[in-house]
Amino acid sequence: MTRIDAKFAELRKAGRKAFVTYVMAGDPDYERSLEVVRGLPGAGVDIIELGLPFTDPMADGGTIQLAGQRALEAGQTLARTLELAHAFREQDDTTPIVLMGYYNPIYSRGVERFLAEAKEAGIDGLIVVDLPPEEDDELCIPAQKAGLNFIRLATPTTDDKRLPKVLTNTSGFVYYVSITGITGSAAAEAGDVGPEVARIKAATDLPVIVGFGIRTPEAAERIASVADGAVVGSAIVDRIGKGEPTEKVLEFVAGLAEGAHRG
């Protein structure tokens, strides 16, 4: 059982929805990023998605693209991102960390080496947005064998024919992308999301978490009410990018967490 599996078992027992946050590793620099990440569990975050900065983030909107650029310019690399996770683990051995990004940096490092280092650093799961199920032998299957969850994205365009393929070899949870398009580009609507979540849950026992387009505590509550939890990324990354003090960022996160946990 991974930390992700344990967290969802704990949430189910408590009758509570999950609140997941995304932040870019190394944004705006390593020290500030680590400070924010270390503060997330205390602000009510159940699972941390740690963005791996990449030069060509095709699924990300402007806010997260800029965060990746800031991180890269500050010297953030895959190795430094694993160092950041390792440093977080020195103080927190229970909060799950999902590394989210693109395959190129992992491929460049070497899959076997990367998985060993990720496991040692305390990474619990991977979301690799540009590796489809047809490429499962590339990373998904080796990751599962190494004890990491491999989390897949489902979208509004994932029809009933495609869904079983998406769910094959997926573990940890399913990440439902609530809108078509890039991150931060539109608002998620519970009325649209609810039926889609129900359709996915009819095909899997995994929790279904909804992300993209959630920017307020009220929106987090509405989305969590029709899913197993909510993810917020761009709204948090935007505040980091504007230079808000860490305590203000974490206050904002705490409000979002309260909303999601009411869902």
Side-chain angles (χ1 to χ4, degrees), residues 99-259:
L99 193 64
M100 184 171 185
Y102 298 83
Y103 185 47
N104 184 278
I106 297 170
Y107 176 79
S108 297
R109 197 156 188 83
V111 167
E112 189 174 338
R113 178 186 179 188
F114 164 75
L115 290 174
E117 291 176 340
K119 186 71 176 173
E120 196 274 332
I123 300 296
D124 304 292
L126 304 175
I127 299 175
V128 183
V129 298
D130 55 346
L131 268 185
E134 286 76 12
E135 305 295 335
D136 273 359
D137 289 340
E138 194 79 23
L139 180 63
C140 173
I141 302 301
Q144 308 257 35
K145 287 179 179 175
L148 277 72
N149 290 128
F150 199 87
I151 296 143
R152 198 91 66 188
L153 304 178
T155 74
T157 60
T158 305
D159 60 20
D160 289 339
K161 184 178 179 182
R162 180 65 176 167
L163 184 60
K165 188 72 174 175
V166 168
L167 295 175
T168 301
N169 297 325
T170 299
S171 65
F173 61 91
V174 179
Y175 187 134
Y176 179 67
V177 177
S178 65
I179 55 174
T180 53
I182 54 177
T183 58
S185 61
E189 298 295 339
D192 298 328
V193 169
E196 290 299 297
V197 170
R199 182 171 68 91
I200 296 167
K201 287 182 74 66
T204 181
D205 292 330
L206 292 171
V208 180
I209 307 300
V210 177
F212 286 47
I214 303 169
R215 305 187 68 87
T216 66
E218 294 75 23
E221 180 178 2
R222 288 194 298 271
I223 293 300
S225 73
V226 297
D228 294 304
V231 185
V232 179
S234 293
I236 299 166
V237 172
D238 183 52
R239 287 170 180 260
I240 294 170
K242 288 176 178 174
E244 281 196 8
T246 299
E247 58 268 24
K248 296 296 287 184
V249 172
L250 295 175
E251 279 177 25
F252 175 65
V253 171
L256 294 164
E258 287 175 13

Side-chain angles (χ1 to χ4, degrees), residues 54-107:
F54 180 51
T55 52
D56 189 23
M58 60 187 180
D60 296 318
T63 297
I64 290 177
Q65 284 190 25
L66 288 170
Q69 288 175 17
R70 289 190 298 268
L72 291 168
E73 287 167 6
Q76 193 70 10
T77 60
L78 173 54
R80 288 280 277 167
T81 299
L82 295 176
E83 282 177 31
L84 193 151
H86 196 278
F88 174 83
R89 284 282 173 241
E90 291 172 358
Q91 298 184 4
D92 185 320
D93 195 41
T94 56
T95 304
I97 301 175
V98 176
L99 193 64
M100 184 171 185
Y102 298 83
Y103 185 47
N104 184 278
I106 297 170
Y107 176 79

